[in-house]
Amino acid sequence: MAKPILFLSGISGNFGSVFLAKANQKGLYDKFHVRAGTSHPSKLSDLKLAYPEIEWVTCNLEKDQEVQSALSGVQTMFLIPGGVENRSEIGVKAVKIAKATGLRKVLLFSVVGAEQNSILFFRQMRAIEEELEMSGLVWNHLRTLWFQQNLFGWKDTIKNGRFPIAMGKGKCPWMNLEDAAEAAFILLLKGGRQLENKAWIITGPELLSGEDVAKMLTKSLGKSIEYVELTPQEQLQVSLKSGWPEWQARGTVDLMKWFAEGHCNYVSPDFKTLTTKEGTKFSDWFDPVKDSFKAVSYTHLRAHET
């Protein structure tokens, strides 16, 4: 008997690499024939070599014909909207095409706070959520938050003893990408009425402010890391100078302001409900990767030259 087809959309990003690394171990290929799309045809050969268990196809969500072809015969879709400004429009359109092709279920990779509809990132994702909820399809929203792995974006400043971010005194439950992947596997592989047609909020297990993170970095790295409280305007300028698109930079500033105002001052029980496990603590993630945040000393380099 042929396996049902699962289509993975937007799986080639940071979360996707974490998800696919665990796919075989979690039994994804035992349950599904897995098809995945990339909007870059030039990447198909490399993706097929890296993940030979997957049927790779060209699928740009901007192109209806490619989406229709990719979803042919598919029963379940894991929709991960890309980091593009019009992701609400193309996400909504993907859901409409999914319904028209006879697809049964969509798991949407969304964001904590989407239901509040108060800032750009929330509005973008809520539009897709609402379309999905009204579609008549079986659905889940996997609402995720600020990732622990985002800290790599501050690697150079941390090497120089500073952690500058516009979080103010606010706290949020930094979450791990592997926890998000773990929750996604359960929603895809188990399903059932008790899990379906609801939003699952995946957070980390502890509330951390920017100052808390700096203290943990100081302890782990064995040197002082100063928390530098940026203003929203300073955060915006830093992001723009780093090459971020303006919409994304402004959206991130709004998200930081949301954190600073205390709107994310809670830990969700949903990860433990789904997995029976506690989420990954910040220090448990950071300690194995801390060498990436250490400055290489001149003395150390000279020793390797001789």
Side-chain angles (χ1 to χ4, degrees):
M1 184 176 177
K3 298 175 185 175
I5 302 174
L6 166 67
F7 181 67
L8 305 176
S9 174
I11 202 68
S12 56
N14 291 333
F15 169 76
S17 62
V18 172
F19 179 85
L20 292 178
K22 297 288 184 73
N24 192 43
Q25 173 193 336
K26 295 295 182 181
L28 193 71
Y29 306 125
D30 295 331
K31 178 169 182 176
F32 294 107
H33 171 88
V34 179
R35 182 183 297 163
T38 175
S39 58
H40 303 286
S42 61
K43 294 183 178 180
L44 280 173
S45 295
D46 289 342
L47 289 168
K48 288 176 181 178
L49 284 173
Y51 306 103
E53 306 90 345
I54 296 175
E55 175 196 355
W56 287 96
V57 298
T58 301
C59 182
N60 185 335
L61 293 183
E62 303 260 11
K63 300 179 179 179
D64 293 5
Q65 221 169 7
E66 289 187 0
V67 178
Q68 290 166 359
S69 176
L71 293 181
S72 176
V74 169
Q75 285 77 41
T76 302
M77 174 167 63
F78 188 7
L79 177 59
I80 307 171
V84 292
E85 190 171 7
N86 66 335
R87 57 185 170 184
S88 58
E89 290 84 355
I90 61 176
V92 165
K93 189 167 60 173
V95 171
K96 289 180 177 179
I97 295 173
K99 181 178 180 179
T101 59
L103 187 144
R104 176 184 175 272
K105 175 180 177 178
V106 176
L107 170 60
L108 173 66
F109 193 83
S110 188
V111 61
V112 172
E115 75 285 359
Q116 298 185 22
N117 224 1
S118 56
I119 64 175
L120 175 63
F121 293 166
F122 300 166
R123 291 192 295 273
Q124 288 175 325
M125 300 311 300
R126 186 58 190 154
I128 309 172
E129 289 187 353
E130 288 178 339
E131 183 66 31
L132 191 49
E133 290 166 15
M134 295 185 297
S135 69
L137 300 174
V138 175
W139 59 270
N140 281 122
H141 308 324
L142 184 65
R143 289 182 178 155
T144 62
L145 192 63
W146 190 251
F147 307 132
Q148 294 165 359
Q149 287 86 346
N150 287 351
L151 195 70
F152 282 112
W154 280 263
K155 183 168 63 175
D156 290 340
T157 56
I158 289 169
K159 286 180 179 180
N160 292 322
R162 300 168 69 249
F163 176 47
I165 192 170
M167 286 181 65
K169 301 294 189 295
K171 296 192 175 191
C172 77
W174 293 54
M175 62 153 292
N176 193 282
L177 284 172
E178 292 201 8
D179 292 348
E182 182 88 9
F185 284 122
I186 289 173
L187 294 173
L188 289 169
L189 295 170
K190 289 189 176 181
R193 291 184 179 178
Q194 73 277 17
L195 299 181
E196 293 173 342
N197 295 332
K198 65 182 295 186
W200 292 90
I201 297 173
I202 309 301
T203 70
E206 55 195 344
L207 291 171
L208 299 173
S209 65
E211 186 70 44
D212 293 332
V213 171
K215 288 177 180 177
M216 295 174 80
L217 297 176
T218 295
K219 181 179 179 180
S220 184
L221 295 172
K223 73 170 190 177
S224 177
I225 305 297
E226 177 191 6
Y227 170 53
V228 180
E229 187 177 325
L230 298 182
T231 66
Q233 186 60 30
E234 288 170 338
Q235 182 75 64
L236 177 63
Q237 292 307 312
V238 167
S239 298
L240 291 174
K241 287 179 181 177
S242 297
W244 289 29
E246 185 172 349
W247 74 269
Q248 197 169 40
R250 292 189 180 280
T252 300
V253 168
D254 286 345
L255 184 63
M256 293 295 106
K257 184 178 179 182
W258 191 69
F259 291 156
E261 292 173 349
H263 297 300
C264 200
N265 194 21
Y266 62 90
V267 171
S268 168
D270 286 359
F271 180 75
K272 189 171 184 179
T273 299
L274 284 171
T275 68
T276 71
K277 300 186 295 188
E278 298 289 348
T280 303
K281 289 187 175 182
F282 187 93
S283 59
D284 291 338
W285 165 75
F286 184 76
D287 284 346
V289 301
K290 66 182 179 181
D291 286 349
S292 299
F293 294 82
K294 291 180 178 178
V296 179
S297 71
Y298 179 74
T299 302
H300 177 76
L301 288 173
R302 293 292 297 173
H304 280 273
E305 291 173 0
T306 56

